[in-house]
Amino acid sequence: MNELILHHYPQSPFAEKARLMLGLKGLSWHSVLIPPVMPKPDLIALTGGYRRTPVLQIGADIYCDTALIAHRLEREKAVPALFPEGQEAVAAALAQFGDQVLFQNSIAINFQPHALEARFTGLPPEVVKGFVRDRKALFEGGSASRPEPEVALAQWPVLMGRLETQLDRNGEYLLGDEPSIADLAWYHPLWFMAANAAVSILLDDYPNIRAWMARVNDFGAGASVRMEPEEAIRIAHDATPEDLPEHGFVSTRGLTLGQAVTVQAVDYGCDPVAGSLVHEEQDEVVIAREDERAGLVHVHFPRLGYRVDAA
């Protein structure tokens, strides 16, 4: 089975980035909803411990991190390109800035007490406290640095002013007249901001940004059909992972194929995933792992932003 299965939840900024990738490429996919906070037993059955949202599943292959998901979707459908020819490095660098700097500033602003209250209006206080505890644990032990709210508020007009000017002078998208991964990575933190009435006013003074956001939103999310988590796990169990390239193994740590390793993010969500190293190349690390529910799966990680250690 080669269906695209996205494990996500509606309010996740990075899940919105992934949904827009699918929409831009006009792809059909299955939607598996996961909890926004731990525990996530069905997701962990597939990933082995990776808990960040979203995760892309294709049969028994599990792709972690939207940076890698973007490259996998390029293989699925090359046009329109997320990484335009001749602008691959620029697109990737801009996307990384959006995913890290812009995202962390947006989160800092949205995690102010009045903004959290507005986002969780009507929900019991224990739900809000549970969400805050979960996100605090998510960022423990990693290198990611979220600015204090007052710092983020001071920096926000600088970031928005630069984007407003760029869009005014350089076409409808960040790299000109055609969209790229950079647009999706800059959009999702602003989408998160716009969805919160307590802070959405911080986008009001930027007409070019608002028009650009409308254009990106128009990509939609492709055609999706709901799937239950149990069905996704069954599909993984019954499938065989894709064949891996027989060449290109480039270990930067002196590791060997078949060696027991752990892979973990270095910025946040640093839960290690254990398995056997089955492939490592310039941009990607793949480990094999067995789960009593999901069977044999290959879990794929980007090399950038992750570390691989001998178990």
Side-chain angles (χ1 to χ4, degrees):
M1 260 191 185
N2 293 320
E3 290 98 338
L4 303 173
I5 304 171
L6 189 71
H7 299 257
H8 67 121
Y9 63 91
Q11 300 83 11
S12 163
F14 280 96
E16 179 66 5
K17 178 187 173 188
R19 292 187 291 260
L20 286 167
M21 292 184 210
L22 294 159
L24 178 60
K25 288 186 174 290
L27 293 168
S28 299
W29 52 286
H30 293 273
S31 169
V32 176
L33 296 180
I34 62 175
V37 299
M38 293 293 276
K40 304 181 181 184
D42 296 320
L43 182 68
I44 299 305
L46 295 167
T47 67
Y50 181 87
R51 55 155 295 185
R52 284 157 58 166
T53 306
V55 166
L56 178 69
Q57 175 188 352
I58 305 177
D61 286 272
I62 313 300
Y63 295 87
C64 302
D65 200 299
T66 55
L68 183 60
I69 290 171
H71 285 285
R72 180 60 184 85
L73 293 179
E74 289 283 78
R75 287 170 46 200
E76 197 72 19
K77 187 177 181 183
V79 179
L82 294 170
F83 300 88
E85 185 175 354
Q87 295 183 302
E88 293 90 346
V90 174
L94 278 172
Q96 185 176 8
F97 184 90
D99 286 342
Q100 296 177 356
V101 176
L102 198 58
F103 172 70
Q104 292 295 355
N105 277 271
S106 173
I107 292 299
I109 293 170
N110 274 276
F111 267 54
Q112 298 175 95
H114 77 285
L116 275 177
E117 183 179 352
R119 185 169 293 279
F120 291 100
T121 298
L123 292 178
E126 56 268 23
V127 173
V128 181
K129 291 178 182 177
F131 181 84
V132 172
R133 280 196 305 270
D134 180 86
R135 290 307 184 264
K136 182 179 179 181
L138 180 66
F139 281 86
E140 287 178 349
S143 62
S145 178
R146 182 186 301 168
E148 294 297 322
E150 58 269 21
V151 174
L153 286 166
Q155 293 179 159
W156 193 255
V158 180
L159 296 167
M160 294 301 96
R162 290 174 179 173
L163 179 56
E164 180 76 4
T165 300
Q166 172 85 5
L167 292 168
D168 184 51
R169 298 177 179 174
N170 196 46
E172 294 191 336
Y173 300 101
L174 268 68
L175 294 182
D177 294 329
E178 298 297 329
S180 72
I181 190 65
D183 294 282
L184 308 188
W186 280 59
Y187 173 86
H188 72 82
L190 275 61
W191 170 84
F192 193 63
M193 187 78 73
N196 189 340
V199 294
S200 61
I201 190 174
L202 296 176
L203 297 171
D204 285 353
D205 293 334
Y206 306 102
N208 290 317
I209 291 177
R210 283 290 192 177
W212 164 79
M213 290 181 69
R215 288 192 292 273
V216 175
N217 181 68
D218 283 345
F219 299 156
S224 67
V225 177
R226 278 288 300 274
M227 176 181 284
E228 293 303 316
E230 294 80 6
E231 175 65 8
I233 292 172
R234 185 197 64 77
I235 288 172
H237 185 276
D238 293 347
T240 300
E242 292 180 352
D243 292 336
L244 293 164
E246 295 181 0
H247 56 82
F249 181 78
V250 183
S251 176
T252 61
R253 303 288 303 275
L255 302 171
T256 58
L257 286 175
Q259 185 170 353
V261 298
T262 60
V263 182
Q264 63 189 103
V266 299
D267 51 359
Y268 63 95
C270 304
D271 308 89
V273 179
S276 300
L277 184 63
V278 292
H279 189 65
E280 186 175 0
E281 55 181 286
Q282 177 177 323
D283 295 323
E284 185 176 3
V285 176
V286 186
I287 63 172
R289 56 176 302 274
E290 292 265 5
D291 181 87
E292 65 177 22
R293 297 174 65 199
L296 173 66
V297 295
H298 282 178
V299 188
H300 302 244
F301 300 91
R303 187 195 289 274
L304 190 63
Y306 290 74
R307 61 177 297 156
V308 187
D309 294 300

